[in-house]
Coordinates of all heavy atoms in Angstrom, one line a residue:
I10 N -2.8 -22.8 -18.4 CA -3.6 -21.6 -18.7 C -3.3 -21.0 -20.0 O -2.1 -20.8 -20.3 CB -3.5 -20.6 -17.6 CG1 -3.9 -21.2 -16.2 CG2 -4.3 -19.3 -17.9 CD1 -3.6 -20.3 -15.0
S11 N -4.3 -20.7 -20.8 CA -4.1 -20.0 -22.1 C -5.1 -18.8 -22.1 O -5.9 -18.7 -21.2 CB -4.3 -20.9 -23.3 OG -5.7 -21.2 -23.4
R12 N -5.0 -18.0 -23.1 CA -5.9 -16.8 -23.2 C -7.4 -17.3 -23.4 O -8.3 -16.5 -23.1 CB -5.5 -15.9 -24.4 CG -4.2 -15.2 -24.1 CD -3.9 -14.2 -25.2 NE -4.9 -13.2 -25.4 CZ -5.1 -12.1 -24.8 NH1 -4.3 -11.7 -23.8 NH2 -6.1 -11.2 -25.1
T13 N -7.6 -18.5 -23.8 CA -8.9 -19.0 -24.0 C -9.5 -19.8 -22.8 O -10.6 -20.2 -22.8 CB -9.0 -19.9 -25.2 OG1 -8.2 -21.0 -25.1 CG2 -8.7 -19.1 -26.5
T14 N -8.7 -19.9 -21.7 CA -9.1 -20.6 -20.5 C -10.3 -19.8 -19.9 O -10.1 -18.6 -19.6 CB -8.0 -20.8 -19.5 OG1 -6.9 -21.5 -20.1 CG2 -8.5 -21.5 -18.2
E15 N -11.4 -20.4 -19.8 CA -12.6 -19.8 -19.2 C -12.5 -19.6 -17.7 O -12.1 -20.5 -17.0 CB -13.9 -20.6 -19.6 CG -14.2 -20.7 -21.1 CD -14.6 -19.3 -21.7 OE1 -15.3 -18.5 -21.0 OE2 -14.2 -19.1 -22.8
I16 N -13.0 -18.5 -17.2 CA -13.1 -18.3 -15.8 C -14.3 -19.0 -15.3 O -15.4 -18.8 -15.9 CB -13.3 -16.8 -15.4 CG1 -12.1 -16.0 -15.9 CG2 -13.5 -16.6 -13.9 CD1 -10.8 -16.3 -15.3
D17 N -14.2 -19.9 -14.4 CA -15.3 -20.7 -13.9 C -15.6 -20.3 -12.4 O -14.8 -19.6 -11.8 CB -15.0 -22.2 -14.1 CG -13.8 -22.7 -13.3 OD1 -13.4 -22.1 -12.3 OD2 -13.4 -23.8 -13.6
P18 N -16.7 -20.9 -11.8 CA -17.0 -20.5 -10.5 C -15.9 -21.0 -9.4 O -15.9 -20.4 -8.3 CB -18.3 -21.3 -10.2 CG -18.9 -21.5 -11.5 CD -17.7 -21.7 -12.5
D19 N -15.0 -21.9 -9.8 CA -14.0 -22.3 -8.9 C -12.7 -21.6 -9.1 O -11.6 -22.0 -8.6 CB -13.8 -23.8 -9.1 CG -15.0 -24.6 -8.8 OD1 -15.6 -24.4 -7.7 OD2 -15.4 -25.5 -9.6
Y20 N -12.7 -20.5 -9.9 CA -11.5 -19.7 -10.1 C -10.8 -19.4 -8.8 O -11.4 -19.0 -7.9 CB -11.8 -18.4 -10.9 CG -10.7 -17.5 -11.0 CD1 -9.7 -17.6 -11.9 CD2 -10.6 -16.4 -10.1 CE1 -8.6 -16.8 -12.0 CE2 -9.5 -15.5 -10.2 CZ -8.5 -15.7 -11.1 OH -7.4 -14.9 -11.2
R21 N -9.4 -19.5 -8.8 CA -8.6 -19.1 -7.7 C -7.4 -18.3 -8.2 O -6.9 -18.5 -9.3 CB -8.1 -20.3 -7.0 CG -9.1 -21.3 -6.4 CD -9.8 -20.6 -5.2 NE -10.8 -21.4 -4.7 CZ -12.1 -21.3 -4.9 NH1 -12.5 -20.4 -5.7 NH2 -13.0 -22.1 -4.4
N22 N -7.0 -17.3 -7.4 CA -5.7 -16.6 -7.6 C -4.5 -17.4 -7.2 O -4.1 -17.2 -6.1 CB -5.7 -15.2 -6.9 CG -6.8 -14.3 -7.3 OD1 -7.3 -14.4 -8.4 ND2 -7.3 -13.5 -6.4
T23 N -4.1 -18.2 -8.0 CA -2.9 -19.1 -7.7 C -1.6 -18.6 -8.2 O -1.7 -17.6 -9.1 CB -3.2 -20.5 -8.3 OG1 -3.2 -20.4 -9.7 CG2 -4.5 -21.1 -7.7
Q24 N -0.5 -19.2 -7.9 CA 0.8 -18.8 -8.4 C 0.7 -19.1 -9.9 O 1.3 -18.3 -10.7 CB 1.9 -19.6 -7.8 CG 2.2 -19.0 -6.4 CD 2.6 -17.6 -6.4 OE1 1.9 -16.7 -6.0 NE2 3.8 -17.3 -7.0
N25 N 0.0 -20.1 -10.4 CA -0.1 -20.4 -11.8 C -0.8 -19.3 -12.5 O -0.3 -18.9 -13.6 CB -0.9 -21.7 -11.9 CG -0.8 -22.4 -13.3 OD1 0.2 -22.2 -14.0 ND2 -1.8 -23.2 -13.6
V26 N -1.8 -18.7 -11.9 CA -2.5 -17.6 -12.5 C -1.6 -16.4 -12.6 O -1.6 -15.7 -13.6 CB -3.9 -17.3 -11.8 CG1 -4.5 -16.0 -12.2 CG2 -4.9 -18.4 -12.0
R27 N -0.9 -16.1 -11.5 CA 0.0 -15.0 -11.4 C 1.1 -15.1 -12.5 O 1.4 -14.1 -13.1 CB 0.6 -14.8 -10.0 CG -0.3 -14.4 -9.0 CD 0.4 -14.4 -7.6 NE -0.6 -14.1 -6.6 CZ -0.9 -12.9 -6.1 NH1 -0.4 -11.8 -6.7 NH2 -1.8 -12.8 -5.2
R28 N 1.6 -16.3 -12.7 CA 2.6 -16.5 -13.7 C 2.1 -16.1 -15.1 O 2.7 -15.4 -15.9 CB 3.2 -17.9 -13.7 CG 4.3 -18.2 -12.7 CD 4.9 -19.5 -12.9 NE 4.0 -20.6 -12.7 CZ 3.7 -21.2 -11.6 NH1 4.3 -20.7 -10.5 NH2 2.9 -22.2 -11.4
F29 N 0.9 -16.7 -15.4 CA 0.3 -16.4 -16.7 C 0.0 -14.9 -16.9 O 0.4 -14.3 -17.9 CB -1.1 -17.1 -16.8 CG -1.8 -16.7 -18.0 CD1 -1.5 -17.3 -19.2 CD2 -2.9 -15.8 -17.9 CE1 -2.2 -16.9 -20.4 CE2 -3.5 -15.4 -19.1 CZ -3.2 -16.0 -20.3
L30 N -0.5 -14.2 -15.9 CA -0.8 -12.8 -16.0 C 0.4 -12.0 -16.0 O 0.5 -11.0 -16.8 CB -1.8 -12.4 -14.9 CG -3.2 -12.9 -15.1 CD1 -4.1 -12.6 -13.9 CD2 -3.9 -12.4 -16.4
S31 N 1.4 -12.3 -15.3 CA 2.7 -11.6 -15.4 C 3.3 -11.7 -16.8 O 3.9 -10.8 -17.3 CB 3.7 -12.1 -14.3 OG 3.3 -11.8 -13.1
H32 N 3.2 -12.9 -17.4 CA 3.7 -13.1 -18.7 C 2.9 -12.3 -19.7 O 3.5 -11.7 -20.6 CB 3.6 -14.6 -19.1 CG 4.1 -14.9 -20.5 ND1 5.4 -14.8 -20.9 CD2 3.3 -15.2 -21.6 CE1 5.4 -15.1 -22.2 NE2 4.2 -15.3 -22.6
Q33 N 1.6 -12.2 -19.6 CA 0.7 -11.5 -20.5 C 0.8 -10.0 -20.3 O 0.7 -9.2 -21.2 CB -0.8 -11.9 -20.3 CG -1.0 -13.3 -20.7 CD -1.1 -13.5 -22.2 OE1 -1.8 -12.7 -22.9 NE2 -0.3 -14.4 -22.8
C34 N 0.9 -9.5 -19.0 CA 0.8 -8.1 -18.7 C 2.1 -7.4 -18.3 O 2.1 -6.2 -18.2 CB -0.2 -8.0 -17.5 SG -1.8 -8.6 -17.8
G35 N 3.1 -8.2 -18.0 CA 4.4 -7.7 -17.6 C 4.6 -7.8 -16.1 O 3.7 -8.1 -15.4
P36 N 5.9 -7.5 -15.7 CA 6.3 -7.7 -14.3 C 5.5 -6.7 -13.4 O 5.6 -7.0 -12.1 CB 7.8 -7.4 -14.3 CG 8.0 -6.6 -15.6 CD 7.0 -7.0 -16.6
E37 N 4.9 -5.7 -13.9 CA 4.1 -4.8 -13.0 C 2.8 -5.4 -12.5 O 2.1 -4.8 -11.7 CB 3.8 -3.5 -13.7 CG 5.0 -2.8 -14.3 CD 5.3 -3.3 -15.7 OE1 4.5 -3.9 -16.4 OE2 6.4 -3.0 -16.2
F38 N 2.4 -6.5 -13.1 CA 1.1 -7.1 -12.8 C 0.9 -7.3 -11.3 O 1.9 -7.8 -10.6 CB 0.9 -8.5 -13.5 CG -0.4 -9.1 -13.0 CD1 -1.6 -8.6 -13.5 CD2 -0.4 -10.0 -12.0 CE1 -2.8 -9.1 -13.0 CE2 -1.6 -10.6 -11.5 CZ -2.8 -10.1 -12.0
K39 N -0.2 -6.9 -10.8 CA -0.6 -7.3 -9.4 C -2.1 -7.2 -9.3 O -2.8 -6.6 -10.1 CB 0.0 -6.3 -8.4 CG -0.5 -4.8 -8.6 CD 0.1 -3.9 -7.6 CE -0.3 -2.5 -7.8 NZ 0.3 -1.6 -6.9
F40 N -2.7 -8.0 -8.4 CA -4.1 -8.0 -8.1 C -4.5 -6.8 -7.2 O -3.7 -6.5 -6.3 CB -4.5 -9.3 -7.4 CG -4.5 -10.5 -8.3 CD1 -3.5 -11.5 -8.1 CD2 -5.4 -10.7 -9.3 CE1 -3.4 -12.6 -8.9 CE2 -5.3 -11.8 -10.1 CZ -4.4 -12.8 -9.9
D41 N -5.6 -6.3 -7.4 CA -6.2 -5.3 -6.4 C -7.7 -5.6 -6.3 O -8.2 -6.4 -7.0 CB -5.9 -3.9 -6.8 CG -6.6 -3.4 -8.1 OD1 -7.7 -3.8 -8.3 OD2 -5.9 -2.8 -8.9
R42 N -8.3 -5.0 -5.3 CA -9.7 -5.4 -5.0 C -10.6 -5.1 -6.1 O -11.5 -5.9 -6.4 CB -10.1 -4.6 -3.7 CG -9.6 -5.2 -2.5 CD -10.1 -4.5 -1.3 NE -9.4 -5.0 -0.1 CZ -9.6 -4.6 1.1 NH1 -10.4 -3.6 1.3 NH2 -9.0 -5.1 2.1
G43 N -10.5 -3.9 -6.8 CA -11.4 -3.6 -7.9 C -11.3 -4.5 -9.0 O -12.3 -5.0 -9.6
F44 N -10.0 -4.9 -9.3 CA -9.8 -5.8 -10.4 C -10.3 -7.2 -10.1 O -11.0 -7.8 -10.9 CB -8.3 -5.9 -10.7 CG -7.9 -6.8 -11.8 CD1 -8.3 -6.6 -13.1 CD2 -7.1 -7.9 -11.6 CE1 -8.0 -7.4 -14.2 CE2 -6.8 -8.8 -12.7 CZ -7.2 -8.5 -13.9
M45 N -10.1 -7.7 -8.9 CA -10.6 -9.0 -8.5 C -12.2 -9.0 -8.5 O -12.8 -10.0 -8.8 CB -10.1 -9.4 -7.1 CG -8.7 -9.8 -7.1 SD -8.3 -10.9 -8.5 CE -9.5 -12.2 -8.3
T46 N -12.8 -7.9 -8.1 CA -14.3 -7.8 -8.1 C -14.7 -8.0 -9.6 O -15.7 -8.7 -9.9 CB -14.7 -6.5 -7.6 OG1 -14.4 -6.4 -6.2 CG2 -16.2 -6.3 -7.7
W47 N -14.0 -7.3 -10.5 CA -14.3 -7.5 -11.9 C -14.2 -8.9 -12.4 O -15.0 -9.5 -13.1 CB -13.5 -6.5 -12.8 CG -13.8 -6.6 -14.2 CD1 -14.8 -6.0 -14.9 CD2 -13.1 -7.5 -15.2 NE1 -14.8 -6.4 -16.2 CE2 -13.7 -7.3 -16.4 CE3 -12.0 -8.3 -15.1 CZ2 -13.3 -7.9 -17.6 CZ3 -11.6 -9.0 -16.3 CH2 -12.3 -8.8 -17.5
V48 N -13.0 -9.6 -12.0 CA -12.8 -10.9 -12.4 C -13.9 -11.9 -11.9 O -14.4 -12.7 -12.7 CB -11.4 -11.4 -11.9 CG1 -11.2 -12.9 -12.2 CG2 -10.3 -10.7 -12.6
R49 N -14.3 -11.7 -10.7 CA -15.3 -12.6 -10.1 C -16.7 -12.1 -10.2 O -17.6 -12.6 -9.5 CB -14.9 -12.8 -8.6 CG -13.6 -13.5 -8.5 CD -13.3 -13.6 -7.0 NE -12.0 -14.3 -6.9 CZ -11.6 -15.2 -6.0 NH1 -12.5 -15.5 -5.1 NH2 -10.4 -15.7 -6.0
S50 N -17.0 -11.2 -11.2 CA -18.3 -10.7 -11.3 C -19.4 -11.6 -11.8 O -20.6 -11.3 -11.7 CB -18.3 -9.5 -12.3 OG -18.0 -10.0 -13.6
G51 N -19.0 -12.8 -12.3 CA -19.9 -13.7 -12.8 C -20.2 -13.6 -14.3 O -20.9 -14.5 -14.9

Side-chain angles (χ1 to χ4, degrees):
I10 299 172
S11 72
R12 289 185 58 86
T13 60
T14 302
E15 296 291 325
I16 301 295
D17 63 19
D19 297 315
Y20 170 81
R21 299 288 178 262
N22 295 335
T23 64
Q24 284 302 111
N25 196 24
V26 170
R27 288 177 189 272
R28 274 190 298 276
F29 172 81
L30 289 171
S31 290
H32 178 73
Q33 292 286 306
C34 302
E37 306 87 15
F38 173 78
K39 63 181 179 180
F40 289 108
D41 63 44
R42 287 183 184 175
F44 181 63
M45 286 313 309
T46 299
W47 180 84
V48 171
R49 295 180 182 217
S50 68

